[in-house]
Amino acid sequence: MKKYLLSLAVVSLFYTESDACAWSDPDYEYFNLFTQSIIKDKSYLPFLHSYSTRFYTDFRSSLIPDENIDAWKRYFNNQMSYAQTEYLVNKMSINDLNALKKGSPTNQLLITLGPGFYQKYHEGIDYLIEAKYLEPYMKINYIEGADSFYYREPGTGKNATNLDYNKTIAALTSLYNAAKNPEIKQRYGYQLVRFNHYTRNYDAAVKAFKAYVEPLRLKGAPYIMALDQLAGAQRGLGMNSEANWNFFQVFRDSKSRKESAFVSMKLSDTASFNNILKRSNTNEDKNMAYFLLGYEDFNNPIPVMEKMFEINPDSEILKVMAVRSINELERSYLPIYYYSNDDTITSQKNTADNNDVKNNSNTTEPKKEELSFWQKIIRFFKNLFSSKKDKGSDESKADQSDDELLDNPDRIPVFTKNNYWYDDKTKDFLDDLEKFTSKTKEKSKDEYWQIADAYLKFLKKDYKESTEILENIKTTNPEYLEEIKRMKVLNDIVSQPKIDAEYEDHLMKDYSEYFTEKPEVKKDSTETDEYDYYGEVPSTADFLKDVLANRYFLQGEDGKSFLMNNKLSDLQYNPNSSLVKSVEDFYRKPNKTQFEQQIIAKNINDVGNIDAFFAVIYGDRAMRQADFEKARSYYAKAQNFSGIPRSEWNYDDKKVTPLKYAAGAYNGLSNISDLVFGHNVWESYQSSPEESMKKEDYSVFPFIKPTMNKLELTDALIQLKKIGAGKNHDAATANQLIGNLLYNTSILGYYRQLFVMDIDNTNGGKYDFQTSDRKNPYQYYYKNFLDRTYIEPDNFDLAIGYYKKALDLSSDKEQKARILFQMASAEQGKYYQYEAKNPSKVDYSDPQYSEKSDAYQKQLDQIKNQKYRTYFAMLKSQYADTETAKDLLGSCTYFNYFMN
């Protein structure tokens, strides 16, 4: 099995779908709940489904039996175990065998076998000595050519041409003639064929096979090995049809050489396949040929499987085809992330449309409930006297009946177009495969087909029938039993209408192994370190956690849903008010169940003072709504706030540790400069505050301190708001300062980090105009919480409203010019929001892409000038002669463009 290393990363940087990540691996992007490797014939393990590698590799190579080792084990009359035989044949040194031959063995295994071992099996030992001498040279000589840039495995540099050809042939021929045991004799024949093949004496290799291998009429391991070499020589002679047929026989008869034989076959065209099919005289051969066709075919494999079924419904390779098909389906029904339908859509036509659009899933529509006349009457009166609620509200979700919960099309597992290579026919394929599996389980004696049928029923959400099938399976196969056990757990959990306290107790009592963390297993000191940058392979436990997160989400328990997949500290990256409230409600919930305490609440990680953490989030949201009094009430409860809970790499301790804020640094609550009330000189987030920002005249407002915490900031704003209610110059300036603060802390402002739980103004998802108008952009659960922006957008009209008051009260033309420019900047923010909600829908493949894109941009420019240039126009028409306007011409490129 692979070993996994979870690389350290700053998760807040990743706001896009996981598929966009350079480290994406498709074999890590679904839950492999139907274990592919439960097939009985382990020689087919390399042919299980994989997208990461050409052949499936996630198994121990020792699981695949080696017919050569089995043959040697029989030759030695089973005196040794399989492992001991494999050690003697493949790993024991030639010196150890020579010592045995001399009668003075030093190897412990050879000593244990006793002094008569060599005398009894001297022919076999002598052959192994010769074979181990030859082995380092048994590689074909590499010849530079057109393909010489291809990667070559590193090695000793030796090849077969380093041996004296005539002496080697003479020695092997002599040993062949001297051998009495037919099997050992055939092994020397194999060496003759191989040596001629690797020295590129292809014709001599073919003759050697006919002279030394074929006449012995043995079809065991040595024959298969020699046939493999013969096919290679025939390929060298251009005898492709003969080579394919012999490689095919190796593939059919060998257990350990199937992968290499498959690679050696050239079945890239229909004629090659038909040639093999014509030469297939037995049903087994035909079945194998159809398997090769189905394996290479990227289209629907069921027609090929039907042909294989007609030949032999008990065929092991038919099961391989089925398990590959199931694995393909799993990738659409069990992805590690379920994305909403509109995740790839950046906008709807307008806000009203967006709010009214029903967020249907990609699943098949649930069956309509057939109601009797009496049921219709009951439902009529029930609807008549019940109060109408928003279907999306938590209260409405909590009141759903079991039937409503079970019929929700967003209950996972659901079909999703998880990867780009799936087409719309994938859903239909589930129905077709289910029909085939149901038919095959009636004919085949192997319980595998019953398990597969039950699993497909599970994917179709027919949990009752799936469970019934599982209950009736009688088997002693340990791998089958393990799969059945897991599937029963899956059916139990996914079929539960509502996850309540009673069911949570059931989970902890009967399935705790899937939810409680297991102690970390210490690595053996001899174990080699391997690296895998894709993280841990998704497990059954991970899937069940996602199922429960989805169930809580559909039930309206967003806080529990969030904490199933995220840490409390993750709220800092998308501090959405309604979600934060739901998480807080769970945090404060008394009498939590054991499941809630041990499985969910464990994700309430260290954020310092939790009450202060929540208070800062609520206070920030109130500030963005310009509700300064409400914000103050929250900040008053946040004085124990220890800082936004970020981490950093500690080079001394060689580990990630909590970030220690430097003295005077902004930490989410304290150390806010009075420049937040100023205006930007130029738009540069990377420059220092003193370079980007300029103070207004604060002299008449001594309560504005040079450095403030958020409580002091709200105190200042409350006083400014009171002064702004007046009618004098100070009132105008007070409103201007409030407008400045609201703009400066918006997505466009230099201090945009202040009220979104961020530590600086560097870019990220929080500063994205492509926010959703929906209250909650999530359709399934919060697992991919950091992959998208989930924060209430700025209301630029709040800043514009205060600027308007300032403009109306001011009599200073220079001040009015500055205020108008600030209003125009805020209006620009409104345009950016509009533009993000109305992206171009022109397909890049459209032949008229350029013309349509230009027309779209022209339409945007027209809308921009008609609706979002009000204050720029006023500034140009009424205040172009002010010093402020002249200064802006030099510092603001866009204003200069607009004025000219």
Side-chain angles (χ1 to χ4, degrees):
M1 287 292 289
K2 299 175 183 176
K3 302 171 190 70
Y4 306 98
L5 175 68
L6 186 61
S7 60
L8 298 172
V10 183
V11 293
S12 60
L13 295 179
F14 298 100
Y15 288 89
T16 57
E17 291 191 13
S18 62
D19 287 350
C21 179
W23 297 104
S24 179
D25 182 340
D27 283 343
Y28 287 69
E29 294 173 1
Y30 74 104
F31 293 100
N32 187 13
L33 298 185
F34 190 87
T35 307
Q36 293 192 78
S37 58
I38 66 172
I39 57 172
K40 291 177 180 177
D41 189 342
K42 303 303 181 185
S43 66
Y44 289 101
L45 288 176
F47 299 90
L48 299 178
H49 207 7
S50 172
Y51 280 122
S52 303
T53 53
R54 183 177 183 186
F55 294 99
Y56 185 77
T57 58
D58 204 10
F59 61 88
R60 297 192 307 276
S61 57
S62 60
L63 289 174
I64 299 179
D66 187 335
E67 63 275 1
N68 185 42
I69 302 303
D70 285 332
W72 278 112
K73 190 171 180 292
R74 288 191 300 272
Y75 173 80
F76 291 120
N77 289 315
N78 297 312
Q79 280 187 240
M80 293 178 285
S81 67
Y82 182 94
Q84 289 173 325
T85 307
E86 196 273 335
Y87 170 69
L88 183 145
V89 173
N90 291 336
K91 299 175 184 176
M92 188 175 288
S93 72
I94 192 173
N95 294 331
D96 284 338
L97 291 180
N98 277 319
L100 173 70
K101 185 173 182 178
K102 293 175 183 178
S104 55
T106 56
N107 184 283
Q108 188 57 50
L109 173 61
L110 299 178
I111 294 171
T112 303
L113 290 170
F117 184 73
Y118 176 74
Q119 285 74 18
K120 188 174 181 179
Y121 302 110
H122 66 92
E123 277 197 343
I125 300 299
D126 287 345
Y127 168 80
L128 286 173
I129 291 173
E130 180 66 17
K132 287 178 184 289
Y133 167 74
L134 293 173
E135 192 59 33
Y137 300 95
M138 288 301 104
K139 299 178 182 65
I140 200 162
N141 60 319
Y142 178 75
I143 298 176
E144 291 287 341
D147 297 332
S148 61
F149 62 90
Y150 286 140
Y151 171 78
R152 283 182 290 161
E153 295 263 346
T156 60
K158 296 178 181 179
N159 64 70
T161 60
N162 297 134
L163 295 172
D164 186 292
Y165 179 80
N166 292 326
K167 286 183 179 180
T168 304
I169 291 294
L172 288 173
T173 305
S174 175
L175 290 167
Y176 175 89
N177 292 327
K180 305 299 182 188
N181 185 293
E183 184 178 328
I184 299 301
K185 185 182 284 287
Q186 196 174 51
R187 287 185 182 279
Y188 284 117
Y190 153 69
Q191 294 289 357
L192 282 163
V193 178
R194 181 167 73 151
F195 180 64
N196 277 300
H197 174 204
Y198 287 162
T199 54
R200 298 185 187 271
N201 290 290
Y202 300 131
D203 192 56
V206 173
K207 291 177 181 177
F209 183 86
K210 292 179 179 179
Y212 301 112
V213 177
E214 220 167 30
L216 294 173
R217 299 184 181 280
L218 297 176
K219 294 297 182 75
Y223 177 84
I224 295 171
M225 294 158 62
L227 189 66
D228 195 21
Q229 295 296 324
L230 170 66
Q234 289 171 329
R235 181 78 71 210
L237 291 170
M239 302 168 62
N240 290 330
S241 179
E242 291 299 319
N244 276 349
W245 175 246
N246 287 324
F247 279 130
F248 174 77
Q249 292 181 85
V250 174
F251 179 88
R252 179 195 65 199
D253 297 332
S254 172
K255 292 186 178 296
S256 61
R257 295 170 179 266
K258 288 190 186 299
E259 183 179 326
S260 64
F262 179 87
V263 172
S264 299
M265 274 187 278
K266 305 292 184 183
L267 300 178
S268 57
D269 55 71
T270 306
S272 299
F273 167 75
N274 287 336
N275 178 60
I276 286 180
L277 193 60
K278 286 177 185 177
R279 300 181 70 162
S280 299
N281 296 320
T282 67
N283 283 339
E284 181 185 4
D285 285 352
K286 291 177 181 177
N287 220 358
M288 195 71 68
Y290 280 122
F291 169 77
L292 295 176
L293 178 65
Y295 182 83
E296 287 283 51
D297 193 357
F298 290 95
N299 296 318
N300 186 351
I302 289 184
V304 171
M305 292 168 66
E306 290 283 3
K307 292 181 180 294
M308 296 171 69
F309 170 83
E310 291 171 7
I311 295 171
N312 180 12
D314 282 316
S315 168
E316 190 71 13
I317 52 177
L318 181 56
K319 295 191 322 191
V320 177
M321 291 297 295
V323 78
R324 286 174 57 83
S325 299
I326 291 173
N327 187 266
E328 182 79 15
L329 277 170
E330 278 191 326
R331 295 166 187 266
S332 289
Y333 281 87
L334 305 174
I336 57 173
Y337 293 126
Y338 285 89
Y339 289 100
S340 303
N341 278 353
D342 60 351
D343 279 354
T344 57
I345 302 173
T346 54
S347 73
Q348 298 292 342
K349 289 182 180 179
N350 54 54
T351 302
D353 286 346
N354 198 23
N355 288 333
D356 290 339
V357 170
K358 183 179 178 183
N359 192 22
N360 293 319
S361 75
N362 285 330
T363 59
T364 305
E365 284 295 319
K367 295 177 180 178
K368 297 295 183 181
E369 183 183 3
E370 293 297 330
L371 300 177
S372 67
F373 177 73
W374 180 246
Q375 287 174 314
K376 290 178 181 178
I377 293 176
I378 293 175
R379 180 165 290 189
F380 170 77
F381 282 103
K382 187 176 180 180
N383 292 335
L384 183 64
F385 294 107
S386 62
S387 59
K388 289 186 177 180
K389 297 172 185 173
D390 177 8
K391 288 184 178 181
S393 69
D394 290 345
E395 185 181 0
S396 176
K397 288 180 179 180
D399 290 341
Q400 294 176 94
S401 68
D402 285 357
D403 287 343
E404 288 174 316
L405 289 167
L406 288 171
D407 287 342
N408 193 311
D410 295 336
R411 283 173 66 90
I412 60 175
V414 297
F415 175 81
T416 176
K417 294 178 183 178
N418 186 38
N419 288 302
Y420 64 85
W421 48 78
Y422 300 128
D423 56 29
D424 291 330
K425 295 179 180 178
T426 308
K427 284 187 291 183
D428 299 331
F429 180 59
L430 174 56
D431 293 330
D432 295 338
L433 185 60
E434 183 194 24
K435 291 174 185 176
F436 178 84
T437 304
S438 297
K439 175 179 68 174
T440 309
K441 77 174 183 179
E442 300 301 325
K443 293 287 186 180
S444 175
K445 304 178 187 69
D446 197 326
E447 303 90 354
Y448 166 88
W449 293 103
Q450 298 175 61
I451 299 173
D453 191 38
Y455 187 76
L456 295 176
K457 297 288 193 299
F458 159 76
L459 290 183
K460 295 189 76 171
K461 301 186 180 183
D462 193 346
Y463 309 123
K464 182 180 179 181
E465 187 171 352
S466 177
T467 301
E468 288 176 357
I469 294 171
L470 295 171
E471 293 289 354
N472 292 323
I473 297 176
K474 307 297 181 186
T475 183
T476 57
N477 184 308
E479 290 185 297
Y480 286 4
L481 290 171
E482 180 62 30
E483 182 69 26
I484 291 168
K485 174 189 171 185
R486 178 164 65 248
M487 287 176 60
K488 285 180 177 178
V489 175
L490 291 172
N491 278 327
D492 182 359
I493 294 177
V494 298
S495 63
Q496 177 67 15
K498 185 171 185 176
I499 310 301
D500 53 18
E502 182 181 357
Y503 195 76
E504 287 174 345
D505 291 339
H506 164 58
L507 293 175
M508 291 303 291
K509 179 182 177 182
D510 298 319
Y511 306 136
S512 60
E513 63 184 284
Y514 291 102
F515 299 105
T516 54
E517 292 184 1
K518 297 175 178 60
E520 186 176 349
V521 179
K522 289 187 177 180
K523 188 191 297 183
D524 190 327
S525 59
T526 63
E527 195 172 348
T528 304
D529 284 334
E530 294 180 19
Y531 296 91
D532 195 306
Y533 295 97
Y534 305 117
E536 295 181 357
V537 172
S539 66
T540 301
D542 293 326
F543 174 74
L544 292 176
K545 185 168 67 173
D546 283 10
V547 167
L548 292 173
N550 173 250
R551 299 301 188 259
Y552 290 133
F553 180 81
L554 298 179
Q555 292 168 197
E557 298 180 80
D558 288 51
K560 291 170 71 171
S561 176
F562 173 83
L563 289 171
M564 285 297 297
N565 297 113
N566 306 278
K567 303 291 186 184
L568 174 63
S569 57
D570 290 337
L571 287 174
Q572 65 182 289
Y573 298 107
N574 278 316
N576 178 275
S577 304
S578 61
L579 176 60
V580 172
K581 181 63 171 64
S582 187
V583 174
E584 184 190 19
D585 289 344
F586 173 75
Y587 161 65
R588 301 190 187 284
K589 178 184 176 183
N591 304 318
K592 293 183 179 71
T593 66
Q594 184 185 6
F595 185 86
E596 290 175 328
Q597 292 177 42
Q598 296 183 15
I599 310 305
I600 305 178
K602 69 180 177 61
N603 284 329
I604 300 178
N605 62 331
D606 184 14
V607 296
N609 185 293
I610 295 177
D611 293 333
F613 179 76
F614 285 122
V616 169
I617 293 177
Y618 293 140
D620 287 351
R621 180 55 187 157
M623 286 292 284
R624 297 180 73 213
Q625 294 173 322
D627 191 341
F628 309 129
E629 293 79 6
K630 185 177 181 181
R632 189 192 188 287
S633 70
Y634 283 120
Y635 290 144
K637 302 173 185 176
Q639 295 310 294
N640 292 324
F641 185 68
S642 57
I644 297 172
R646 293 291 171 90
S647 300
E648 62 181 347
W649 178 254
N650 188 310
Y651 288 94
D652 295 330
D653 297 335
K654 300 292 188 293
K655 63 179 182 180
V656 175
T657 58
L659 173 66
K660 293 181 179 178
Y661 289 90
Y666 173 68
N667 68 351
L669 182 70
S670 304
N671 300 313
I672 300 170
S673 167
D674 60 356
L675 284 169
V676 73
F677 287 108
H679 62 266
N680 57 303
V681 178
W682 67 330
E683 192 169 299
S684 175
Y685 297 111
Q686 291 76 33
S687 300
S688 68
E690 291 74 22
E691 291 176 295
S692 288
M693 302 297 295
K694 182 178 180 180
K695 290 184 180 183
E696 307 289 358
D697 183 5
Y698 307 150
S699 58
V700 294
F701 309 120
F703 49 82
I704 297 180
K705 302 176 182 178
T707 303
M708 297 163 280
N709 62 33
K710 287 183 176 178
L711 183 62
E712 294 168 327
L713 184 63
T714 53
D715 283 336
L717 284 163
I718 290 169
Q719 292 190 61
L720 286 173
K721 187 177 177 181
K722 289 178 180 177
I723 296 171
K727 301 294 182 181
N728 56 14
H729 176 76
D730 288 350
T733 304
N735 283 299
Q736 181 185 6
L737 295 184
I738 296 175
N740 282 356
L741 178 132
L742 292 175
Y743 175 79
N744 290 335
T745 56
S746 74
I747 188 173
L748 293 176
Y750 183 83
Y751 289 99
R752 58 186 181 173
Q753 74 272 22
L754 289 190
F755 302 132
V756 291
M757 285 290 277
D758 210 345
I759 58 177
D760 57 39
N761 63 19
T762 51
N763 211 353
K766 293 173 185 175
Y767 315 122
D768 186 355
F769 279 103
Q770 293 183 352
T771 55
S772 172
D773 283 320
R774 294 166 53 200
K775 182 180 179 183
N776 187 339
Y778 294 87
Q779 182 176 348
Y780 300 103
Y781 54 151
Y782 295 99
K783 183 175 182 180
N784 50 336
F785 182 68
L786 301 180
D787 289 357
R788 76 190 81 184
T789 303
Y790 181 33
I791 184 171
E792 297 91 344
D794 290 307
N795 183 352
F796 286 101
D797 284 329
L798 293 173
I800 290 173
Y802 278 100
Y803 282 137
K804 194 172 186 310
K805 291 178 184 178
L807 187 68
D808 292 341
L809 291 171
S810 177
S811 57
D812 185 309
K813 198 170 184 181
E814 294 293 337
Q815 185 182 28
K816 282 178 174 285
R818 165 57 60 187
I819 293 169
L820 275 172
F821 179 76
Q822 293 298 110
M823 294 174 78
S825 298
E827 193 176 39
Q828 179 88 348
K830 293 180 66 175
Y831 169 74
Y832 290 146
Q833 289 176 334
Y834 170 84
E835 186 181 58
K837 293 172 187 175
N838 295 272
S840 172
K841 294 180 175 60
V842 182
D843 194 299
Y844 190 73
S845 61
D846 192 319
Q848 295 181 302
Y849 175 80
S850 296
E851 295 88 337
K852 291 182 179 179
S853 294
D854 291 344
Y856 165 75
Q857 187 58 52
K858 186 176 180 180
Q859 181 184 20
L860 278 183
D861 292 340
Q862 186 177 10
I863 292 172
K864 184 194 304 180
N865 289 321
Q866 288 177 352
K867 297 184 178 181
Y868 297 99
R869 290 293 175 264
T870 310
Y871 306 113
F872 267 136
M874 288 177 64
L875 184 57
K876 179 179 180 179
S877 63
Q878 300 177 33
Y879 299 93
D881 59 340
T882 60
E883 290 300 317
T884 300
K886 292 174 184 177
D887 288 342
L888 288 170
L889 285 172
S891 60
C892 179
T893 304
Y894 188 84
F895 182 63
N896 194 339
Y897 167 78
F898 184 85
M899 293 291 282
N900 293 320

